[in-house]
Amino acid sequence: MWWYNFLKGVDNIDNLERVLKKRHFLKLHKIKERKREDILSYISSYLFNVPVKIVMDRDFLKLKPQDTISILINSFDQEETAAIIVDERDKLLGVITMKDLLRFFSPPKRYSIVGLNLLKCPTLSKGCTVENLMVKNPITIGIDDNLGQAIRVILETGKHHLPVIDKERRVHGLLEVKDIIRFIRLTW
C-alpha cells in the first residue's frame, strides 16, 4: 500500500507535516486545478488510510483505580478531557470523561456552594475512588487500525475518546475527535 511506504519513518505529527509537504507537493499541485470535490475526495481517501498511531495522543491522563475523585477533578485541565484508568502494567481497566463525571453531580440550587458537595449520590465523597466512577470495558481502537475505522467507530457510537490498545489491552495512546481535526488541519 502506498500510504505504508509514505508513512514509514513518521513517528509523530511534527514529522508528518514535513513529509506531507515534501512527498505530496506534486500530487496536490496536479489536482489544484480540479474541483473542490476532487480535492476533498483525495484528502478523505488519504485520511482514512492513515494509521491511528500517528494521530493519537501519547501524552494523556493516566490514573490508577485507587486514585480519588479529588485527584481526578484536579487533573483535568483545558487540554485533558478524559482519564484512562490502568493497572500497574498499563492494561486498560476503564475510562472516565468530563461528561461521565457530570452525571454524578446535580445542578446547583439556590444558595448552593459550588464544589464537591453537589454530588448526587450520597455514597460518593471526595475520597471516593475513580474505580467507582469509571466506565468499565470502554469502546477502544487497536494500535494497528487506521483513521477510517476510528472515525466509523466514533460516528456509530457517539464516543469522542477512544483508548488505543494492543492485543494485550495495554494502552498506547488516546484518540480524540480533536486529534483527528488537528490532523486534518495540518494536512489540508
Side-chain angles (χ1 to χ4, degrees), residues 104-115 117-122:
F104 296 100
F105 289 88
S106 58
K109 297 177 177 92
R110 191 173 183 185
Y111 306 116
S112 292
I113 298 172
V114 177
N117 55 351
L118 294 176
L119 282 168
K120 269 189 210 177
C121 185

Side-chain angles (χ1 to χ4, degrees), residues 58-147:
R58 286 178 165 79
D59 185 28
F60 55 94
L61 180 57
K62 241 192 269 190
L63 294 175
K64 301 293 181 198
Q66 64 273 13
D67 289 338
T68 63
I69 188 173
S70 294
I71 293 172
L72 171 68
I73 291 172
N74 290 326
S75 298
F76 282 141
D77 60 14
Q78 290 179 348
E79 187 66 27
E80 301 294 339
T81 58
I84 305 295
I85 316 305
V86 295
D87 64 8
E88 60 279 344
R89 294 174 305 205
D90 279 346
K91 289 192 177 185
L92 180 66
L93 297 175
V95 172
I96 187 160
T97 66
M98 285 184 175
K99 185 177 176 182
D100 295 331
L101 189 60
L102 284 178
R103 289 182 301 149
F104 296 100
F105 289 88
S106 58
K109 297 177 177 92
R110 191 173 183 185
Y111 306 116
S112 292
I113 298 172
V114 177
L116 288 177
N117 55 351
L118 294 176
L119 282 168
K120 269 189 210 177
C121 185
T123 59
L124 295 178
S125 66
K126 289 181 181 181
C128 179
T129 62
V130 294
E131 186 174 28
N132 299 336
L133 305 175
M134 72 182 183
V135 174
K136 296 174 174 91
N137 298 320
I139 296 171
T140 61
I141 193 82
I143 188 127
D144 296 323
D145 291 341
N146 59 37
L147 278 186

Side-chain angles (χ1 to χ4, degrees), residues 49-64:
N49 291 317
V50 173
V52 166
K53 60 184 156 193
I54 291 178
V55 182
M56 72 182 184
D57 186 5
R58 286 178 165 79
D59 185 28
F60 55 94
L61 180 57
K62 241 192 269 190
L63 294 175
K64 301 293 181 198

Side-chain angles (χ1 to χ4, degrees), residues 9-21 54-55 182-183 186:
V10 176
D11 57 352
N12 61 34
I13 287 187
D14 298 330
N15 290 341
L16 181 62
E17 185 176 15
R18 181 181 48 79
V19 171
L20 280 172
K21 286 180 180 176
I54 291 178
V55 182
R182 188 179 299 137
F183 178 77
L186 280 174

